[in-house]
Amino acid sequence: MPDIGSNVGIVRSSRLVWVAAALGALFTAAACAAPADNLNLVRDLAGRIGPIVGSALACPDVARPRIQFIVDKFQAVIKANASNEAERDDLSRLFDRSVADGRNALTAGRTNCRTAERQLADLEQSLAGKSASLIGVIGPAPAAAATAPAASLPRAALASTARGVTATEIRFGMVAPFSGPAKELGRQMKLGIDTAFNQANDAGGVEGRALRLISADDGYEPTRTVDAMKQLYEKDQVFGFIGNVGTPTAAVAVPYTLERRALFFGAFTGANVLRNDPPDRYVFNYRAGYAEETDAAVRYLIKLRRLQPRQIAVFAQQDSYGDAGFTGVSKAFRSLGLNDASILRLNYKRNTVDVDEAVNQLKAQKGAIKAVVMVGTYRAAAKFIEKTRYLFPAMIYTNVSFVGSTALADELMLLGPRFANGVIVTQVVPAVGGYSSAVLEYKNALAKYFPGEAPDYVSLEGYIAANVLIQALKRTGPQLDTERLIDVLENMHNLDLGLGTSLNFSRAEHQASHKIWGTAIDENGRYRSLELE
């Protein structure tokens, strides 16, 4: 399965006509731009030209002198626009990373040598006769980081002093696990955001600007999160953040963004650390919270499945994510007038599948537990079910959406239908197998931009969250900055994206949706709708 965790992409041939049109406008912009603006433009170019060079290098039939001409030209651009050695080194490293991304895109099959040859030829033509001291070529943004608009040149009025905003693009950052046991969550979330950005860019972008997503890997470890955030904010100069993954990592990332008054939007977590009352000005959520998901699960188990409260236990990750889920179950008990003091918690450590202690705790209950509310990631959850299914054949397992629904079903089906059948997952998006307008639009876009990728609940969430942000960006207008965007978001009401529920923000409400959908895996590994009430 391709790894889209890195900022990989190749300029789409259908957009290369845009290069010639943008060329003259960019010459004018570079000629009158301040040094800092020129550096931002060089960074932009590194992310566009590097992948073309890298994919060409991976093709043995492409003549090396042609590639060297492009490299020499770009190195001259770096030299002409960097004011010191540190800036030159930083730009050279960025260019080298983009070249490596291009190589990886070809070897992974996301492009081919015929396309690489055509893109190199178009780039050569665009560069011919242009001065290296002025940045003479710009192409659409990389495909995996969203493509550039097919039409409409940036207008002079689009000049912006906001970080991460140029005449041609808006850069967003994303910190998520692209390595380790939870990497599929990061990959899928990024896939959904890239799909939405690609779709918007094909329609002309936002005020002529392409949306670009740059990602960094923290492995789902909070100790790595700050460095990843710094890389995106300080080196890549992103405007804001979208789609960060995880609760323990958000506990580190949110303070970082608040101190810098940067947007933190649509994170893949339902924890209360992102849901303060009153809300933090720069933090916005699309999804319902874990408290709402676990409340729905508890009510389902008690009211529909007729279980006694003492028959319900919680399997939880031993960190702030697990704490958030356990707190949600406790709150649900209290809201039903039940005593929450004796709820059994079964723990496991983050980024492991070491569930033996939790299994032994469950065994010690001698069959008294009839249902387990699970607050984990897909591999640990699957391992727990694997080790307890035969011991307790009638056990009801419910999971919160962060588990990674498709990955969980895949893991369980590898064990056999018996392990998957009946496992419940609460969702914060509609069923991916359904026919709502939002889901159909998502599936069509996913098939167009990432053929071969299967629809998934996590990528659907990324797609929806990105579309909410895109609507706000469009309403903000050409003079984009963070404060204007926040004001627009806080006045966004009754947004209808075809989900079956309207989305709303306000100054007092920074969570757009409170809707929970119930699903259960069938014997074929597919999710079926489940009525929770």
Side-chain angles (χ1 to χ4, degrees):
M1 187 174 289
D3 179 3
I4 65 166
S6 57
N7 181 32
V8 176
I10 299 300
V11 179
R12 290 180 177 270
S13 58
S14 62
R15 309 306 180 261
L16 285 169
V17 176
W18 191 77
V19 171
L23 201 56
L26 203 60
F27 262 112
T28 302
C32 62
D37 295 328
N38 276 356
L39 281 179
N40 284 333
L41 290 172
V42 176
R43 290 189 182 98
D44 295 342
L45 284 170
R48 293 162 165 68
I49 296 175
I52 300 176
V53 170
S55 61
L57 283 169
C59 296
D61 293 336
V62 177
R64 290 306 182 260
R66 296 176 60 198
I67 303 172
Q68 192 61 50
F69 167 77
I70 301 295
V71 173
D72 291 344
K73 200 81 169 176
F74 193 73
Q75 290 296 341
V77 169
I78 291 176
K79 184 176 181 180
N81 289 279
S83 59
N84 56 55
E85 191 67 31
E87 288 180 350
R88 282 193 291 274
D89 289 346
D90 180 54
L91 292 169
S92 294
R93 283 194 297 269
L94 178 60
F95 182 59
D96 290 345
R97 287 200 301 270
S98 296
V99 171
D101 288 345
R103 283 180 180 272
N104 293 338
L106 192 132
T107 57
R110 292 192 290 277
T111 188
N112 55 56
C113 285
R114 182 177 180 182
T115 300
E117 158 67 32
R118 184 172 66 251
Q119 292 169 341
L120 184 67
D122 285 330
L123 184 57
E124 288 170 324
Q125 183 178 1
S126 297
L127 280 170
K130 304 304 178 187
S131 168
S133 64
L134 299 177
I135 303 166
V137 63
I138 188 168
T147 56
S152 177
L153 277 177
R155 298 173 300 191
L158 291 186
S160 173
T161 59
R163 171 190 295 269
V165 181
T166 71
T168 57
E169 75 172 11
I170 309 169
R171 291 189 298 275
F172 288 95
M174 174 187 180
V175 175
F178 298 108
S179 61
K183 65 182 180 182
E184 189 65 7
L185 302 180
R187 195 187 80 84
Q188 288 290 345
M189 192 68 177
K190 185 176 189 297
L191 185 68
I193 297 169
D194 278 334
T195 299
F197 278 13
N198 286 339
Q199 189 177 41
N201 291 340
D202 269 359
V206 176
E207 298 288 345
R209 294 184 177 110
L211 301 174
R212 182 182 176 198
L213 181 64
I214 307 173
S215 62
D217 179 19
D218 67 2
Y220 194 38
E221 286 294 349
T223 54
R224 295 172 56 186
T225 301
V226 168
D227 286 342
M229 295 288 287
K230 284 182 177 178
Q231 174 190 321
L232 294 174
Y233 189 76
E234 297 175 8
K235 289 188 177 181
D236 295 307
Q237 297 280 303
V238 298
F239 172 75
F241 296 86
I242 180 173
N244 278 33
V245 172
T247 299
T249 49
V252 177
V254 168
Y256 181 90
T257 56
L258 291 177
E259 288 170 7
R260 289 154 184 80
R261 299 189 178 187
L263 178 69
F264 194 83
F265 190 91
F268 185 56
T269 172
N272 284 338
V273 68
L274 286 82
R275 291 164 173 80
N276 288 328
D277 185 13
D280 296 321
R281 176 166 170 81
Y282 302 96
V283 177
F284 287 81
N285 302 286
Y286 152 70
R287 56 154 41 230
Y290 294 143
E292 292 166 296
E293 288 193 67
T294 51
D295 180 79
V298 168
R299 289 176 183 274
Y300 166 79
L301 294 171
I302 291 176
K303 294 193 171 184
L304 269 67
R305 301 300 291 266
R306 304 295 183 185
L307 297 187
Q308 296 298 312
R310 65 179 181 276
Q311 296 175 315
I312 300 172
V314 179
F315 172 78
Q317 192 163 282
Q318 200 167 3
D319 63 5
S320 54
Y321 165 46
D323 294 344
F326 185 80
T327 299
V329 173
S330 297
K331 185 177 179 181
F333 270 50
R334 294 194 301 272
S335 71
L336 292 169
L338 304 172
N339 181 8
D340 65 329
S342 59
I343 301 173
L344 176 65
R345 175 167 174 168
L346 314 169
N347 288 321
Y348 79 96
K349 291 183 179 179
R350 181 180 62 245
N351 273 341
T352 75
V353 291
D354 183 5
V355 300
D356 287 346
E357 184 179 343
V359 172
N360 290 334
Q361 281 184 275
L362 186 60
K363 287 180 182 177
Q365 300 301 308
K366 301 185 183 302
I369 301 300
K370 304 298 182 185
V372 180
V373 177
M374 306 179 72
V375 189
T377 55
Y378 55 94
R379 285 185 177 170
K383 181 61 69 174
F384 181 81
I385 294 171
E386 176 187 1
K387 292 194 170 190
T388 57
R389 178 61 103 182
Y390 283 116
L391 295 171
F392 309 104
M395 183 71 71
I396 303 169
Y397 302 95
T398 79
N399 295 264
V400 296
S401 56
F402 185 85
V403 71
S405 301
T406 302
L408 176 64
D410 290 345
E411 293 274 343
L412 293 174
M413 287 301 291
L414 288 174
L415 301 172
R418 177 186 179 90
F419 293 90
N421 192 25
V423 172
I424 297 167
V425 181
T426 52
Q427 308 288 359
V428 295
V429 294
V432 296
Y435 294 89
S436 64
S437 296
V439 169
L440 291 176
E441 289 171 8
Y442 152 75
K443 289 196 283 192
N444 288 338
L446 183 68
K448 177 179 180 180
Y449 298 109
F450 298 97
E453 288 285 356
D456 178 272
Y457 283 92
V458 178
S459 66
L460 175 56
E461 181 174 338
Y463 176 82
I464 293 170
N467 271 295
V468 176
L469 178 59
I470 289 166
Q471 289 298 317
L473 289 167
K474 288 179 177 179
R475 296 182 188 190
T476 303
Q479 298 300 323
L480 175 64
D481 63 40
T482 301
E483 299 305 326
R484 286 191 181 95
L485 178 60
I486 299 299
D487 289 341
V488 168
L489 282 166
E490 290 190 331
N491 285 281
M492 184 178 286
H493 311 303
N494 297 317
L495 179 64
D496 185 0
L497 295 181
L499 298 171
T501 185
S502 61
L503 305 177
N504 295 276
F505 289 126
S506 70
R507 289 173 66 86
E509 174 62 275
H510 281 202
Q511 179 178 301
S513 172
H514 294 269
K515 176 75 172 177
I516 305 294
W517 287 266
T519 63
I521 309 174
D522 66 16
E523 65 276 6
N524 298 311
R526 299 189 184 93
Y527 280 91
R528 305 298 184 190
S529 294
L530 176 71
E531 291 296 328
L532 294 175
E533 55 186 11

